[in-house]
């Protein structure tokens, strides 16, 4: 997948709008400010893609949503153990109860993921629907590689839109990944009016 | 000690006692360790998907192309054709929803079919379930280990079980 600077800029911008909308939704859910780092648009070989996200054998809690409609994609929220605990506490859920914690994080993922792809779809003129979230605690590599596998049938490259959110005055930072299928990348670029630039 | 990584779609091989072949965080992917009862040579492939498409350039990515490539690389280092056996780890269903739902199981079936075609027996299988796994092949000792998230590393296979029993 060869993407030029203009296309990567456009993808960064749409990730920025998606995650900005998601951060606002999370902020009203938690009742405190949520900051956002400038998203990264990474076009990488599969093997490098996992390393770019984090340490493959690190313990994380992830919320995964499928995206259906005009394009296939996966949204993955990645929390380190401390951030997962913090966000549960902020929501009044006992982090020591794994079932409750996963369910609460699933709900966070549902709200963040829906607002992210809603904003993205609006900007690109695409109908996008989220599937119900699945929350899982496991190794980062196992989660990210599995999300990538579904997108990697026709290409050895992966496009990752990687945003980081930080909850103000709390030990809570987490990543939001948008991973489109190779076909989905094309649809996204077409929607943004950037398909011809390649 | 040198850790040689088999990352997504990669193959690592070695015959040096100090080396360890590693596949970190196998989810729906499958780690195929190829061990040789007659020598130190071993290989590890990190397979992502079951079936290749025409014109693919990364043989390690697909079960049907990774197995012949792994055999070629192991034989290239002096692995014997008759002493090879395989250890499989991974193929989990990580998520209860989404496109990746069935990939783990399909990967396992495709890997087993490709190994059967190559005439290589599978001696140990630690696949399925819904947890990620890290797999290591210790060239010096001939031990294959597996670690699941939140649990301890366990030895799951040896290069030559017969020899181990004879030594005991």
């Amino acid at each position: 997948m060869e993407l030029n600077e203009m296309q990567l800029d456009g993808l960064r911008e749409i990730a920025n709008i998606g995650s900005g909308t998601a951060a606002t939704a999370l902020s009203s859910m938690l009742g405190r400010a949520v900051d956002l780092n400038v998203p990264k648009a990474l076009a990488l070989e599969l093997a490098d893609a996992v390393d770019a996200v984090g340490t493959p054998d690190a313990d994380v809690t992830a919320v995964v949503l499928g995206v259906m409609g005009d394009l296939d994609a996966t949204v993955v929220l990645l929390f380190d153990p401390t951030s997962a605990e913090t966000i549960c506490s902020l929501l009044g859920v006992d982090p020591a109860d794994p079932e409750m914690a996963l369910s609460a994080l699933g709900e966070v993922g549902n709200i963040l993921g829906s607002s992210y792809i809603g904003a993205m779809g609006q900007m690109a003129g695409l109908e996008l629907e989220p599937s119900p979230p699945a929350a899982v605690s496991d190794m980062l590599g196992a989660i990210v590689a599995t999300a990538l596998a579904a997108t990697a049938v026709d290409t050895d490259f992966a496009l990752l839109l990687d945003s980081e959110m930080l909850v103000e005055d709390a030990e809570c930072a987490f990543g939001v990944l948008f991973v489109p299928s190779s076909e989905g990348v094309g649809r996204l670029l077409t929607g943004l009016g950037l398909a011809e630039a390649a | 000690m040198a850790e040689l990584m088999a990352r997504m779609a990669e193959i690592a091989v070695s015959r040096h006692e100090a080396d360890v072949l590693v596949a970190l965080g196998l989810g729906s992917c499958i780690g195929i360790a190829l061990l040789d009862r007659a020598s130190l040579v071993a290989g590890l492939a990190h397979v992502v998907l079951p079936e290749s498409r025409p014109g693919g350039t990364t043989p390690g990515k697909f079960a049907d192309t990774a197995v012949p490539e792994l055999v070629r690389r192991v034989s290239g280092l002096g692995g014997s054709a008759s002493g090879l056996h395989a250890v499989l780890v991974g193929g989990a269903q990580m998520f209860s929803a989404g496109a990746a739902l069935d990939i783990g199981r399909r990967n396992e079936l495709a890997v087993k079919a490709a190994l059967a075609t190559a005439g290589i027996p599978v001696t140990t299988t630690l696949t399925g379930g819904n947890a990620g796994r890290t797999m290591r092949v210790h060239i010096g000792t001939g031990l294959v280990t597996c670690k699941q998230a939140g649990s301890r590393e366990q030895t799951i296979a040896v290069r030559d079980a017969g020899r181990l029993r004879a030594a005991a």
Side-chain angles (χ1 to χ4, degrees), chain A residues 23-127:
Chain A
T24 307
L26 180 64
S27 174
S28 54
M29 191 181 183
L30 297 177
R32 55 172 81 204
V34 176
D35 295 328
L36 190 65
N37 285 349
V38 178
K40 291 180 275 189
L42 305 164
L44 296 168
E45 278 192 43
L46 282 181
D48 294 328
V50 175
D51 290 336
V53 175
T55 312
D57 56 352
D59 289 332
V60 295
T61 296
V63 184
V64 181
L65 295 94
V67 179
M68 298 161 301
D70 288 340
L71 65 79
D72 289 333
T74 308
V75 176
V76 186
L77 275 65
L78 289 169
F79 300 88
D80 63 71
T82 308
S83 296
E85 277 182 28
T86 304
I87 207 156
C88 286
S89 302
L90 289 174
L91 291 167
V93 171
D94 180 6
D97 180 343
E99 220 164 290
M100 282 299 289
L102 282 182
S103 153
L105 288 168
E107 192 46 38
V108 169
N110 198 21
I111 286 165
L112 283 179
S114 310
S115 38
Y116 186 109
I117 66 171
M120 181 177 256
Q122 214 165 18
M123 188 177 171
L126 299 168
E127 294 279 342

Side-chain angles (χ1 to χ4, degrees), chain B residues 54-129:
Chain B
T57 53
T58 312
K61 185 168 141 188
F62 301 100
D64 58 346
T65 48
V67 167
E69 179 65 10
L70 181 61
V71 173
R72 195 184 66 80
R73 300 266 306 268
V74 164
S75 305
L77 281 188
S80 69
S82 57
L84 296 180
H85 63 104
V87 175
L88 307 183
V89 169
Q93 183 185 322
M94 296 301 298
F95 315 132
S96 53
L101 203 55
D102 202 26
I103 291 180
R105 195 183 59 84
R106 283 167 45 214
N107 277 342
E108 180 179 351
L109 293 174
V111 165
K112 285 183 170 166
L115 286 166
T117 303
I120 295 169
V122 177
T123 48
T124 304
T125 312
L126 199 66
T127 51

Side-chain angles (χ1 to χ4, degrees), chain A residues 46-48 50-51 56-57 59 64 66 131-134 136-139 141-143 145-150 152-156, chain B residues 7-8 10 24-29 48-49 53 57-58 61-62 94-97 99-100 103 130-134 147-150:
Chain A
L46 282 181
D48 294 328
V50 175
D51 290 336
D57 56 352
D59 289 332
V64 181
S131 71
V136 54
S137 289
D138 212 297
M139 299 174 191
I143 291 164
T146 301
L148 286 171
V153 180
D154 296 314
T155 165
D156 293 339
Chain B
R7 303 180 301 164
M8 273 183 99
E10 291 182 339
L24 292 175
L26 294 161
S28 64
C29 296
V48 182
L49 290 166
R53 302 284 172 95
T57 53
T58 312
K61 185 168 141 188
F62 301 100
M94 296 301 298
F95 315 132
S96 53
I103 291 180
N130 48 26
R133 302 171 174 101
T134 282
K147 184 186 183 310
Q148 279 189 204

